[in-house]
Amino acid sequence: MATKAATAALEQSDQAPPRRRTSTRTLAVFGALLLLLTAVALSLAIGSRSRSLATVVHALLHDNGSTASSVVWDVRVPRTLAGIAAGAALGVAGALIQALTRNPLADPGLLGINAGAATGVVLSLTVLGLTSMWASVWFAMARAVVAGLLAYSLASGGRGGATPERLALGGAVIAAVFTGISQTLMLLDAQALDQLRFWSVGSLARADSETLTTITPFVVVGLVLALALVRPLNALALGDDTARALGAHLDRTRFLGLLTVTLLCGAATSAVGPLVFVGLAVPHMARMIAGADQRWTLPLSIA
């Protein structure tokens, strides 16, 4: 009940009347979904050999083993869905990081989680020789968890607990360490460097149906956790003292937020590489449309 007051305060800060503001936000959500469907259609139709939309629709409805059907179902559909999952994960992770740290320039790499996930993929390939995407995903998740826990441990030491400033500083240290490890391992293994060259800058080339089925549970759990945190995040936006007065549990909120970011970034990075700027730009675009209320910012960041 207390955190509802925080949401009400954010609503009152909007300039437009409540009903008009809600209508605008609803239209924005539908507009974002329409743009997403358009991007999906283009992704399925355009590639090294473009297909007409009629051919794509026929291939989707009739999986008859033809070349067009195989290209659409075996290559383009998994890559498109993996890209959607990764984009939603990184967008929501960025919104969470910016809300937790109250830093509009923060992104998921701030806590070193992307760097940790990338190190897991590099380790699985260079040290253990595991080339399957299944192994890459699980090693990325493990290293992302380690990076997140290390960042949180560094930030929570001393008085005051894991404040936004300490989270940012601790994450910067962890990111630098894991990035150095990844680059060193890749430079020492020319074969691994060749295999991970495109992935390291962000690519859907390695994404397939196995990748999609592996990362989907982590992304779904992360998105559900993120949506469950909207009210305490609204309270947190008013400052630590005000949030405590409204009944928000700051340490629990930050820990669950960090866990959520770890799940989302670990899954996305393992699938498409350590993409940058997605988690930074998407929340800003969502706030331009919906304002500061996390009840609308997070769903728009997904879309």
Side-chain angles (χ1 to χ4, degrees), residues 12-248:
Q12 291 176 0
S13 65
D14 295 329
Q15 297 296 325
R19 290 184 179 178
R20 185 184 302 174
R21 188 67 176 177
T22 301
S23 299
T24 302
R25 289 165 170 171
T26 304
L27 289 175
V29 171
F30 281 109
L33 292 175
L34 180 61
L35 289 175
L36 177 61
L37 291 176
T38 303
V40 168
L42 293 176
S43 176
L44 295 177
I46 299 175
S48 57
R49 183 176 179 181
S50 298
R51 311 275 181 176
S52 66
L53 288 178
T55 301
V56 171
V57 172
H58 184 272
L60 290 173
L61 297 177
H62 305 88
D63 187 5
N64 53 16
S66 64
T67 301
S69 179
S70 298
V71 169
V72 171
W73 277 108
D74 298 338
V75 179
R76 294 186 181 177
V77 167
R79 289 182 180 179
T80 300
L81 294 178
I84 292 173
L90 292 174
V92 172
L96 284 175
I97 287 294
Q98 291 175 11
L100 290 171
T101 62
R102 294 196 292 273
N103 182 357
L105 297 180
D107 70 345
L110 183 69
L111 297 183
I113 295 173
N114 283 354
T119 302
V121 176
V122 174
L123 281 173
S124 67
L125 182 62
T126 59
V127 177
L128 300 178
L130 302 175
T131 58
S132 68
M133 180 58 67
W134 181 266
S136 297
V137 169
W138 282 101
F139 270 86
M141 288 300 307
R143 288 293 171 177
V145 171
V146 170
L149 290 176
L150 287 175
Y152 188 81
S153 298
L154 287 176
S156 60
R159 294 182 177 179
T163 62
E165 294 80 7
R166 291 183 176 182
L167 279 172
L169 292 175
V173 172
I174 298 302
V177 171
F178 278 111
T179 300
I181 293 173
S182 298
Q183 292 179 350
T184 300
L185 290 174
M186 291 176 64
L187 290 174
L188 293 176
D189 191 329
Q191 184 178 1
L193 177 62
D194 185 63
Q195 293 181 5
L196 296 175
R197 182 175 300 153
F198 294 104
W199 173 88
S200 63
V201 295
S203 172
L204 287 168
R206 299 179 71 217
D208 53 18
S209 57
E210 182 185 17
T211 304
L212 185 63
T213 55
T214 304
I215 69 171
T216 297
F218 296 103
V219 174
V220 171
V221 172
L223 294 180
V224 171
L225 284 174
L227 294 176
L229 291 173
V230 292
R231 291 193 182 277
L233 287 176
N234 278 338
L236 192 63
L238 302 176
D240 287 1
D241 294 336
T242 303
R244 288 192 186 95
L246 292 172

